[in-house]
Amino acid sequence: MGFINDAMSRGAEFIKNVKVQGATDEARKAHAEGRAVLVYKIIEASGGSLDFTGPMTGVGEQIEAIEAEGWALANMATANSKTLSGDERAGLICVFRRR
């Protein structure tokens, strides 16, 4: 089982990194276009339950990546989202403004 857990962990880390890079790229693109507002939807990276409190995998990392590009989180709303596989995950609609 250790091998399977390690492989799943590496897969989750890969997906998180791809999402963080995507957030960084979109933040840079919006800045290059001269935009003052960026609205970005972040979907939780793992299948955590929508019914329990706790960390939202990958969400903080994406917010930090966008803020590192000179944006500040101004507002946020929640929504239920579905992944490409059909899994239900927590989604956040985030409004960022240039600092």
Side-chain angles (χ1 to χ4, degrees):
M1 274 318 243
F3 174 76
I4 293 172
N5 288 338
D6 288 345
M8 289 175 62
S9 178
R10 283 192 304 276
E13 186 71 19
F14 174 78
I15 291 169
K16 182 184 78 175
N17 290 340
V18 167
K19 288 183 173 202
V20 167
Q21 186 59 54
T24 300
D25 293 345
E26 288 300 321
R28 288 178 181 163
K29 178 181 170 190
H31 180 251
E33 292 172 351
R35 295 189 8 227
V37 174
L38 170 64
V39 179
Y40 197 81
K41 181 178 180 180
I42 299 174
I43 299 175
E44 186 177 17
S46 71
S49 172
L50 298 176
D51 299 328
F52 299 109
T53 60
M56 296 178 73
T57 306
V59 172
E61 291 89 339
Q62 290 177 71
I63 291 171
E64 288 172 350
I66 292 170
E67 288 187 332
E69 296 301 319
W71 296 90
L73 181 62
N75 210 336
M76 181 171 43
T78 61
N80 289 341
S81 298
K82 291 202 179 218
T83 63
L84 292 175
S85 65
D87 294 338
E88 192 168 303
R89 306 263 172 91
L92 300 171
I93 309 302
C94 300
V95 178
F96 293 89
R97 295 191 178 274
R98 285 300 292 172
R99 288 187 231 184

